[in-house]
């Protein structure tokens, strides 16, 4: 209910939803890399699969030779040969 | 980020291997604590990542909470280099000594190169340069290139320009010697070819010919004064000259004529390559070839395939008589080409005449005669032994 109100206010004020609702933002660079912004931590890491927590769910990146080249509290850059990016809420 | 990584190099950073059941938890704890971690990779049940040296101790505490075991696998950066250097002070001393030696050696002149000299010997130039301080082993800071250049020009009047510069430890002396154009050497004006003099213009000296006079190559036209004054002759002598060219042309010009015999070959052409499928090539000594495409596959592509019927027609050379006018025209054209090559560009064409001769049956000849007006005077210098300034 609170989320719906925040969403309505953000739409009325024309604010970006990812900022106002604290949502994750994913940028996929071909099969070379994925940038995940506003994540909630690493859940699983192996060269074939990386699972990252988001507000209400997970983002799973599958591929080969996956590496986390940069990471901080907000952003995470995954490089390697990306096959799938899946988000579950 | 690269700038930040350069900062990490100064602080020092390590490659950490984390083993255990839940290395992901350690990563999250590091992120919550705000520790700089980067370059994650996984292998053999462990996770590898980089972190800065000051934060590594903190990571060990977090690892206990996450029930992981961190180990340092590699060390990078200035603090580790410095600690290695501190353990080997002699190494640092030697490196400093080598650097100082290198700087000292680079400040000296190791070798000297002389360029551009032809008459002045390299030994003389090097000797003069040595007297001005430029010797192998001399310090560059103590040398003055302009002083060396001045010494070279003073000692060697044959030089008109000198330039001393350094290429690393090599000193280069570049010189340019004085050259006196041949035309300036004093002498007499003589005829370089036969002709009839049409005009004489004397700038200095005594004219020995007059307009209308016939001269031969080598005759003196204007004489200089070889006495004490040694004034060379100068002037222009224009004369009427003749050029004669003789050319023969055959009235029978051989042309290839088909004999009627022919042979056919089947050829498969693929791109630039050809393969003979049936028949033989080149069975005639002289032949003409014609290709007839039969069909083409993959037309317009790089794999275009064409089947050709190639016909070789045997030929023989049959002399064909050309008209006298044609033969004359060929002979005249060839004769004019020779004249144009021989005639100087400054010459003025006065008259052109030709006569036709029949040498033998089937051969026609042309004799082309051209008269032109041109400068025929050239300076013949007096012997150098009598010229005290001549070098």
């Amino acid at each position: 209910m609170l989320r719906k109100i925040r969403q309505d206010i953000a739409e009325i004020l024309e604010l970006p939803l990812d900022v106002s609702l604290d949502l994750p933002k994913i940028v996929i660079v071909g099969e070379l890399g994925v940038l995940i912004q506003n994540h909630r931590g690493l859940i699983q890491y192996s060269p074939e699969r990386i699972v990252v927590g988001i507000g209400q769910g997970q983002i799973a990146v599958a591929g080969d030779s996956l590496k986390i080249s940069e990471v901080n509290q907000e952003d995470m850059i995954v490089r390697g040969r990306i096959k799938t990016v899946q988000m579950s809420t | 980020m690269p700038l930040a990584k350069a900062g990490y190099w100064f602080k020092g950073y390590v490659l950490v291997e984390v083993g255990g059941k839940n290395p992901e938890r350690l990563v999250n704890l590091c992120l919550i604590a705000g520790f700089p971690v980067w370059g994650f990779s996984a292998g053999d049940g462990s996770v590898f990542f980089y972190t800065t040296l000051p934060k590594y101790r903190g990571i060990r505490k977090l690892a206990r909470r996450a029930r992981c075991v961190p180990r340092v696998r590699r060390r990078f950066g200035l603090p580790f280099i410095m600690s290695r250097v501190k353990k080997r002070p002699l190494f640092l001393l030697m490196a400093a000594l080598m650097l100082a030696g290198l700087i000292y050696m680079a400040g000296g002149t190791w070798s000297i190169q002389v360029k551009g000299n032809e008459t002045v010997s390299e030994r003389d130039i090097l000797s003069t340069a040595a007297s001005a301080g430029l010797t192998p082993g001399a310090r560059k800071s103590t040398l003055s290139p302009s002083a060396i250049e001045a010494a070279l020009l003073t000692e060697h009047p044959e030089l008109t320009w000198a330039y001393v510069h350094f290429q690393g430890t090599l000193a280069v002396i570049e010189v340019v010697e004085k050259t006196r154009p041949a035309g300036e050497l004093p002498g007499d004006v003589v005829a370089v070819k036969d002709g009839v003099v049409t005009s004489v213009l004397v700038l200095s000296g005594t004219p020995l010919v007059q307009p209308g006079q016939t001269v031969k190559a080598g005759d003196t036209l204007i004489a200089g004064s070889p006495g004490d004054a040694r004034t060379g002759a100068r002037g222009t002598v224009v004369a009427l000259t003749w050029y004669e060219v003789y050319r023969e042309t055959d009235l029978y010009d051989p042309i290839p004529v088909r004999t009627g015999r022919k042979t056919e070959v089947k050829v498969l052409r693929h791109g630039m390559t050809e393969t003979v499928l049936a028949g033989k090539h080149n069975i005639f000594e002289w032949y003409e070839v014609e290709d007839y495409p039969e069909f083409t596959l993959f037309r317009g592509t790089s794999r275009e395939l064409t089947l050709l019927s190639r016909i070789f027609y045997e030929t023989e050379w049959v002399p064909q008589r050309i008209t006298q006018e044609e033969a004359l025209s060929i002979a005249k054209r060839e004769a004019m080409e020779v004249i144009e090559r021989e005639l100087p560009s400054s010459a003025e064409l006065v008259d052109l005449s030709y006569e036709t001769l029949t040498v033998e049956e089937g051969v026609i000849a042309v004799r082309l005669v051209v008269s032109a007006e041109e400068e025929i005077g050239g300076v013949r210098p007096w012997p150098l032994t009598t010229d005290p300034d001549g070098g």
Side-chain angles (χ1 to χ4, degrees), chain B residues 206-224:
Chain B
T206 311
L208 303 181
V209 291
Q210 288 180 340
Q213 193 174 332
T214 304
V215 293
K216 287 189 171 182
D219 289 353
T220 305
L221 306 174
I222 306 169

Side-chain angles (χ1 to χ4, degrees), chain A residues 31 42 44-51 60-68 78-84, chain B residues 23-24 40-48:
Chain A
E31 58 170 22
L42 189 65
Q44 185 195 339
Y45 176 41
S46 70
E48 293 78 32
R49 185 175 166 82
I50 293 175
V51 181
V61 181
D64 294 325
S65 309
L66 298 179
K67 289 180 179 178
I68 303 169
V78 177
R79 293 192 195 281
R81 194 162 179 274
I82 312 294
K83 287 180 179 169
T84 61
Chain B
E24 290 88 352
F40 283 84
S41 58
D44 296 336
S46 304
V47 172
F48 295 85

Side-chain angles (χ1 to χ4, degrees), chain B residues 37-288:
Chain B
V37 284
W38 70 94
F40 283 84
S41 58
D44 296 336
S46 304
V47 172
F48 295 85
F49 63 87
Y50 296 91
T51 189
T52 58
L53 182 62
K55 297 293 181 186
Y56 177 65
R57 278 181 187 280
I59 283 177
R60 288 179 66 179
K61 285 179 189 169
L62 295 177
R64 278 197 290 275
R65 280 175 60 191
R67 293 182 181 178
C68 297
V69 185
R71 287 191 203 92
V72 173
R73 283 298 172 207
R74 284 191 72 184
R75 297 165 175 84
F76 307 89
L78 192 62
F80 300 110
I81 294 171
M82 289 309 292
S83 70
R84 277 200 292 269
V85 167
K86 277 179 190 168
K87 285 176 193 166
R88 300 177 180 87
L90 266 178
F91 173 78
L92 188 66
L93 185 68
M94 285 305 292
L97 277 174
M98 274 192 68
L99 189 67
L102 200 66
I103 292 168
Y104 180 79
M105 299 288 263
T109 310
W110 286 24
S111 55
I112 304 166
Q113 187 182 17
V114 180
K115 286 182 181 175
N117 59 313
E118 283 178 5
T119 56
V120 184
S121 73
E122 187 175 325
R123 201 168 61 176
D124 290 348
I125 291 173
L126 289 175
S127 165
T128 309
S131 64
L134 179 57
T135 52
R139 304 291 306 157
K140 282 191 279 187
S141 56
T142 62
L143 297 172
S144 164
S146 55
I148 301 163
E149 289 161 10
L152 286 167
L153 294 176
T154 311
E155 286 288 317
H156 305 283
E158 305 91 336
L159 301 180
T160 188
W161 181 79
Y163 176 48
V164 177
H165 59 103
F166 295 93
Q167 292 175 351
T169 57
L170 171 72
V172 182
I173 303 173
E174 288 185 53
V175 294
V176 175
E177 295 176 353
K178 286 177 183 169
T179 52
R180 182 180 285 182
E184 283 187 15
L185 287 172
D188 299 322
V189 174
V190 298
V192 294
K193 56 176 76 171
D194 301 349
V196 176
V197 177
T198 55
S199 70
V200 180
L201 175 68
V202 179
L203 298 174
S204 71
T206 311
L208 303 181
V209 291
Q210 288 180 340
Q213 193 174 332
T214 304
V215 293
K216 287 189 171 182
D219 289 353
T220 305
L221 306 174
I222 306 169
S225 307
D228 292 338
R230 288 188 63 77
T231 308
R234 286 172 63 208
T236 308
V237 179
V238 178
L240 207 57
T241 55
W242 288 268
Y243 294 85
E244 186 181 307
V245 178
Y246 177 82
R247 275 285 176 277
E248 287 181 359
T249 308
D250 208 328
L251 284 173
Y252 292 94
D253 190 20
I255 58 162
V257 175
R258 290 182 185 181
T259 62
R261 290 179 66 203
K262 65 177 182 179
T263 181
E264 187 177 346
V265 173
K266 295 287 182 191
V267 177
L268 191 66
R269 180 186 289 163
H270 179 241
M272 299 296 287
T273 59
E274 289 186 345
T275 310
V276 177
L277 300 178
K280 281 186 177 176
H281 264 256
N282 307 343
I283 61 166
F284 306 124
E285 189 182 2
W286 299 100
Y287 57 86
E288 288 175 351

